[in-house]
């Protein structure tokens, strides 16, 4: 028991270093983007370049308070994007695998398709995907049953409208629960 407690103390100490390590990584990415000339031939604008182009620019000009994006805001947005991307990917994989485990017939059919198209001696490559229609169907069905995002992108009604007996006034923000659709 003492060894377990000692191990958790070491883990806690290492976890406390994670934010500092991520800060250094994001700083390095930002510095790299700042050093590259956007107009340089072959350089494609990406998300970080777009954020850097907005640094210290006034935002929300319709409000009384004006907001600006600073370097720390850019790092926070990068962390959100990184965490969101890794979390959603792992959740999608977990749900897909759990559905395959629940439906052995589907898993066997998918295994047969993978064996016949890809074989047993290599990993699936992007060029293989167009030749794997059953895999595509399994993934799409998993996404339908277990959508990653609870709500779709919010919409706003452009005018007063009645839909199926529900009155929706102009300017109402409409949220669609994707979990209930599938």
């Amino acid at each position: 028991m003492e060894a377990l407690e000692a191990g958790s103390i070491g883990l806690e100490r290492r976890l406390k270093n994670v934010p500092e390590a991520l800060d250094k990584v994001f700083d390095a990415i930002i510095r790299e983007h700042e050093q590259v000339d956007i107009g340089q031939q072959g350089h494609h604008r990406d998300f970080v370049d777009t954020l850097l182009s907005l640094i210290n620019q006034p935002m929300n000009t319709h409000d009384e308070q004006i907001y600006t994006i600073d370097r720390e805001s850019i790092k926070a947005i990068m962390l959100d994007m990184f965490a969101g991307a890794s979390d959603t990917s792992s959740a999608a994989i977990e749900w897909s695998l759990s559905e395959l485990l629940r439906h052995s017939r589907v898993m066997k059919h998918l295994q047969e398709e993978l064996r016949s198209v890809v074989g047993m001696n290599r990993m699936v490559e992007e060029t293989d995907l167009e030749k794997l229609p059953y895999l595509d169907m399994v993934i799409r069905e998993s996404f339908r049953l277990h959508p990653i995002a609870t709500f779709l992108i919010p919409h706003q009604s452009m005018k007063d409208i009645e839909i199926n007996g529900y009155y929706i006034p102009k300017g109402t923000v409409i949220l669609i629960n994707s979990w209930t659709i599938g």
Side-chain angles (χ1 to χ4, degrees):
M1 187 65 153
E2 289 177 22
L4 182 61
E5 288 176 11
S8 67
I9 292 171
L11 179 62
E12 285 179 33
R13 189 177 310 123
R14 286 185 301 207
L15 284 175
K16 287 180 181 177
N17 295 332
V18 170
E20 186 178 313
L22 281 173
D23 192 61
K24 287 179 182 177
V25 169
F26 293 144
D27 262 335
I29 292 169
I30 290 170
R31 274 195 310 276
E32 180 182 310
H33 279 78
E34 288 173 333
Q35 292 172 355
V36 174
D37 179 17
I38 302 289
Q40 186 178 14
Q41 188 171 357
H43 178 72
H44 301 287
R45 291 183 61 89
D46 64 11
F47 185 68
V48 177
D49 291 325
T50 303
L51 288 173
L52 285 171
S53 73
L54 298 172
I55 201 162
N56 298 325
Q57 298 292 321
M59 301 286 176
N60 296 6
T61 54
H62 301 300
D63 296 339
E64 290 178 16
Q65 187 175 7
I66 295 179
Y67 303 97
T68 58
I69 294 179
D70 59 7
R71 191 178 187 88
E72 293 304 309
S73 299
I74 291 174
K75 288 192 276 188
I77 293 168
M78 290 170 65
L79 177 61
D80 284 348
M81 296 298 286
F82 176 75
S86 58
D87 183 50
T88 54
S89 298
S90 64
I93 291 167
E94 286 176 25
W95 276 117
S96 297
L97 290 175
S98 69
E99 287 297 334
L100 285 170
L101 290 171
R102 289 181 54 212
H103 299 91
S104 59
R105 179 187 58 77
V106 174
M107 183 161 45
K108 285 178 183 165
H109 191 246
L110 181 58
Q111 288 170 332
E112 288 172 20
E113 182 182 70
L114 288 167
R115 267 191 220 103
S116 68
V117 174
V118 179
M120 299 297 290
N121 298 324
R122 67 180 182 88
M123 300 289 285
V124 175
E125 296 176 7
E126 188 174 351
T127 56
D128 298 320
L129 295 179
E130 63 188 34
K131 296 174 260 173
L132 297 166
Y134 196 74
L135 173 63
D136 183 60
M137 289 186 285
V138 167
I139 291 170
R140 288 175 188 268
E141 180 66 2
S142 179
F143 285 159
R144 183 187 72 79
L145 291 171
H146 307 286
I148 298 305
T150 309
F151 293 101
L152 301 179
I153 297 171
H155 291 70
Q156 187 172 21
S157 62
M158 304 289 286
K159 60 182 181 179
D160 292 347
I161 189 168
E162 187 173 320
I163 300 174
N164 292 336
Y166 292 97
Y167 174 71
I168 302 170
K170 178 182 177 179
T172 301
V173 175
I174 301 163
L175 298 172
I176 299 169
N177 186 337
S178 62
W179 285 2
T180 61
I181 295 173

